[in-house]
Amino acid sequence: MRPSASRQIVSAIAATVIFAGAAAAADGAGKDEAVAMVKKATAFIKEQGPEKAYPEISNKAGRFVDRDLYVVVYQLDGKVLAHGSNEKFVGKDMIEAQDVDGKLYVKERVELASKQASFWQDYKFVNPVSKKVEPKQMYCEKLDNTAVCAGIYKL
């Protein structure tokens, strides 16, 4: 094989690997999808009531989970009412939960929700698809005494 041909093959392989990595990153949810998911969940809670809505939001195979995007509902005291990625969190007081940098992200989230109708929040959390701790942006809307949230992972 000529040296130029082997260089072309190596370049093609490298381009394929780079493209595949970008495609995998692009496969995660974006900001518009997070906002749309929160609005869909908020409307569902209003229509169905919490008793019917929260179990559906916590259903990993349900309509409120899409790739790495899922809905979480917090009572404004930090108690998890619904969690689309990990049902074990439902019913738990997470007010003291910290991310890997020591940020009290649930405490900050419920404080923001008590002051604003909607907001974005930055912290770090385990991506349910990659299983790695990654930077995350959570979009939340206040609904009565709750915060309905969905977040995106930023690579």
Side-chain angles (χ1 to χ4, degrees):
M1 190 182 298
R2 296 187 333 259
S4 63
S6 64
R7 269 197 300 272
Q8 287 175 331
I9 291 170
V10 168
S11 293
I13 291 169
T16 302
V17 168
I18 290 167
F19 178 76
D27 200 34
K31 282 187 162 189
D32 290 345
E33 291 169 295
V35 171
M37 184 71 85
V38 168
K39 292 191 179 306
K40 180 176 151 184
T42 301
F44 188 71
I45 295 165
K46 287 177 183 176
E47 289 167 13
Q48 300 294 318
E51 302 76 27
K52 287 186 180 178
Y54 294 166
E56 177 62 21
I57 289 169
S58 297
N59 177 2
K60 280 187 177 184
R63 65 185 96 173
F64 297 102
V65 177
D66 179 16
R67 297 163 291 160
D68 62 350
L69 181 65
Y70 56 90
V71 174
V72 182
V73 182
Y74 289 92
Q75 202 164 274
L76 294 186
D77 63 2
K79 181 179 176 183
V80 179
L81 302 174
H83 201 292
S85 177
N86 190 339
E87 257 187 276
K88 292 178 185 168
F89 287 132
V90 176
K92 293 197 175 178
D93 179 358
M94 300 292 289
I95 198 75
E96 296 297 321
Q98 296 180 27
D99 72 2
V100 294
D101 296 329
K103 182 176 192 170
L104 293 165
Y105 64 94
V106 175
K107 184 175 186 182
E108 178 184 77
R109 184 171 304 151
V110 297
E111 286 173 357
L112 288 167
S114 68
K115 298 173 190 164
Q116 301 173 49
S118 65
F119 57 90
W120 283 94
Q121 178 197 28
D122 292 317
Y123 66 110
K124 292 179 182 166
F125 202 72
V126 177
N127 181 323
V129 175
S130 72
K131 308 293 186 219
K132 295 178 182 167
V133 174
E134 297 175 1
K136 185 169 185 174
Q137 274 193 310
M138 188 72 99
Y139 174 74
C140 300
E141 289 186 4
K142 184 178 179 185
L143 175 62
D144 301 322
N145 69 332
T146 68
V148 181
C149 308
I152 60 166
Y153 292 89
K154 307 182 301 176
L155 298 175

